[in-house]
Amino acid sequence: MYENLPVPYGLVRYGVAPDHPEVKNCIDTFDKVGQHPRFRFVGNTAVGRRGDNGVPLEAVVRNYDQVVFAYGADSDKKLGVDGEQLHGVYSARQFVGWYNGLPECRGLNPDLSGDEAVVIGQGNVALDVARMLLAPIDHLARTDISRDALQVLAASNVRRVRVVGRRGLAQSAFTNKELRELLALPGVGFAPVAASQLDPLALFAKDLPRALKRMVGLVQKGSAAGPDAPRQWSLEHLLSPARVLARPDAAAVGGVEFVVNELRQDSLAADARAAPTDARRVLPADVVFKSVGYDCTPLDDFEYVTGARFRAGDRLVPNAGGRVLRTDGTPAPGCYVAGWVKRGPTGVIASTMMDAFDTAEAVLADGAAAAPADRGGWPAVHAELARGGSLPWRPVSWADWCAIDAAERAAAVDGADRRKLLSVEAMLDVLA
């Protein structure tokens, strides 16, 4: 997803809310790997993507014994409803990238001039979006949030956020940790969950799975701030978007019309499906965030080079235990997958990490069993592509990244760890 940037860490740097404490732990772990003498970092280089700094996938696969594809999901799923293109409708992925300083999202500048926000989706990213809209500015200022984004959020008029899901509370995809953090925001009230959603869960509380039981307890307890708090948020259930409504006087969002759903199965079941009814409900909205999932896309020439084809429907690489499977069902020699491109864009950092360990075990087992091969690695790839002894772009090494890191840390303000550079040009200027 961020493979063409001069900086490491990927989703941890650009895809996770900056106030999450586990961000630092992940970066510390990556730093230990980066300092290993047998590790090579090549940044500002896009493998399998055509462009000024692109490296053909075939050149990499041919010059390495084993290649792990772990580039994540790089596009958004669409709502597929009328009005989705109105001014004031944003994808959660772009919004998260914007406040985290992702260069491609720098110009997003969401319109937060209205009072009402609707977040469609009830995963962890949806709650991240809600928390960033509602969190006190002095709290955000102590993180490495983009300073441009901090100014926009400081001037935001958003006072109410509705987080909307197509199924019930029991089927929500967010974790209790995310819920707890949002409920703990000072000066932010939580509107009670509808009795139709909460009562059945409370009635059978003793029979619920532990995580769901804790979720019910958190929702029942609510937030310390009451209904008179200056900012409010709520969980809305059993609603599927039908269309985004425009304001009468402008081509900008003014609300969202939803189809009211009902659960046709046990409402306590995690896999219960929602079925539409004839009822409709309109929620006011001055800004809308779509948090309904991501799509993984194949690298250029992926099928030609590996013999594997992305699965239709879920857009994942077919694999067995992390080993890429070709169209005939046999493993593609030396090719592996990890992360979202392997398992889909679901799960928190910890679950994705454990899944990556399984792939790593396959890599180690296959490497130990394989006959030694004389492959050239990055120097051979470099030699193939270099013109006049150098590449037409500037690859970034780990030492280069350390220089960029030092520059960001030196520019830190308000007690934050760093002040991120917001463009590739600014990052490369440090190295000049």
Side-chain angles (χ1 to χ4, degrees), residues 129-333:
V129 170
R131 194 175 68 258
M132 296 299 290
L133 290 171
L134 297 170
I137 292 302
D138 60 347
H139 166 76
L140 297 178
R142 294 190 294 270
T143 72
D144 63 2
I145 186 175
S146 156
R147 296 297 117 172
D148 290 355
L150 188 66
Q151 291 180 7
V152 174
L153 290 170
S156 169
N157 290 322
V158 173
R159 295 295 178 266
R160 181 180 177 89
V161 179
R162 293 179 171 88
V163 183
V164 184
R166 60 185 175 84
R167 298 190 294 168
L169 177 64
Q171 293 80 40
S172 300
F174 53 76
T175 62
N176 286 331
K177 179 179 180 297
E178 289 278 350
L179 177 61
R180 191 179 296 111
E181 289 175 355
L182 193 45
L183 289 170
L185 285 180
V188 179
F190 174 66
V193 171
S196 60
Q197 287 298 306
L198 191 55
D199 290 350
L201 297 173
L203 180 63
F204 295 99
K206 68 179 187 305
D207 301 319
L208 298 177
R210 180 180 299 177
L212 181 55
K213 188 174 181 179
R214 288 178 177 173
M215 181 188 295
V216 172
L218 289 170
V219 170
Q220 286 178 316
K221 183 179 179 181
S223 60
D228 296 328
R231 295 188 175 188
Q232 297 279 333
W233 77 283
S234 63
L235 290 169
E236 310 287 342
H237 298 101
L238 295 174
L239 297 174
S240 292
R243 58 175 175 156
V244 181
L245 305 174
R247 299 175 192 168
D249 58 343
V253 62
V256 183
E257 180 181 327
F258 291 90
V259 174
V260 178
N261 298 324
E262 63 182 9
L263 296 178
R264 295 286 175 83
Q265 298 167 262
D266 180 2
S267 63
L268 304 182
D271 60 352
R273 298 299 174 186
T277 69
D278 294 332
R280 296 289 187 272
R281 183 181 174 191
V282 174
L283 296 180
D286 300 298
V287 61
V288 174
F289 297 93
K290 304 175 293 182
S291 185
V292 293
Y294 306 103
D295 265 336
C296 303
T297 57
L299 299 176
D300 295 334
D301 299 324
F302 180 82
E303 183 176 351
Y304 170 76
V305 173
T306 66
R309 182 181 304 145
F310 266 58
R311 269 196 326 237
D314 54 17
R315 303 285 289 172
L316 302 180
V317 177
N319 70 93
R323 296 177 176 89
V324 173
L325 297 180
R326 296 182 290 198
T327 53
D328 62 3
T330 61

